[in-house]
Amino acid sequence: MRDKQRDGSILLFDGVCNFCNGIVNFLIRQDKKGRISFGSLQSDAGQGLISEFLPVQDFESLVYIKKGLIYQRSTAALEIARDLGGLWSVAYILVVIPKPLRDGLYSWIAKNRYRWFGKKDHCMIPTPDIRKRFID
């Protein structure tokens, strides 16, 4: 796990959330250089990173680990957009919106994501060609 972290960034996501899985699939397509690795919050590898970096387990937050720094909620989403480059990096300008407002909107979406997008019984199983981008 530590080697992948040094080489790039790791996004921990709710592996049973359909919305979160859609975001991961989108990022896999957009991140052509493969700089972002992925892991579900529910996995052993994800739990190991959570316990190493965060005092509280939170399945309603994206956790983005980049160069030893931890980003959560709206800040994680904005950092990911910046790291994608191109037009996506323009979204980072939203960082000027006060964090409580950004995180309030993020939390509202997170609380309703299962109702709006559904939930899987288990974490997604990546295809063999993208398996190498997953830490678990």
Side-chain angles (χ1 to χ4, degrees):
M1 268 187 292
R2 298 304 261 164
D3 291 338
K4 282 191 179 187
Q5 183 183 340
R6 267 187 245 115
D7 295 341
S9 302
I10 299 173
L11 172 62
L12 299 176
F13 65 99
D14 181 350
V16 298
C17 169
N18 287 335
F19 181 63
C20 301
N21 279 284
I23 290 170
V24 168
N25 288 327
F26 169 80
L27 292 173
I28 288 169
R29 289 189 308 274
Q30 295 300 314
D31 180 24
K32 305 225 187 292
K33 294 182 181 177
R35 293 173 292 196
I36 302 172
S37 296
F38 304 94
S40 72
L41 290 164
Q42 293 89 348
S43 69
D44 290 340
Q47 286 297 300
L49 286 170
I50 292 291
S51 66
E52 182 178 344
F53 288 105
L54 296 171
V56 178
Q57 181 183 56
D58 182 1
F59 289 112
E60 292 193 356
S61 178
L62 290 175
V63 177
Y64 191 51
I65 304 168
K66 178 173 77 168
K67 297 179 183 173
L69 298 175
I70 305 302
Y71 302 95
Q72 289 181 273
R73 295 181 178 78
S74 64
T75 306
L78 294 174
E79 284 292 329
I80 292 165
R82 180 163 69 169
D83 289 351
L84 284 177
L87 288 176
W88 294 111
S89 63
V90 174
Y92 190 76
I93 197 165
L94 297 174
V95 77
V96 301
I97 297 172
K99 189 173 180 350
L101 292 176
R102 287 187 283 118
D103 282 351
L105 177 61
Y106 180 95
S107 293
W108 179 69
I109 293 168
K111 286 178 185 166
N112 290 290
R113 71 190 187 277
Y114 293 150
R115 186 166 24 119
W116 295 339
F117 303 101
K119 183 177 175 180
K120 298 175 186 254
D121 292 330
H122 52 79
C123 296
M124 74 180 248
I125 301 171
T127 60
D129 58 322
I130 61 171
R131 177 75 188 122
K132 63 185 174 227
R133 298 206 39 205
F134 284 76
I135 63 169
D136 42 329

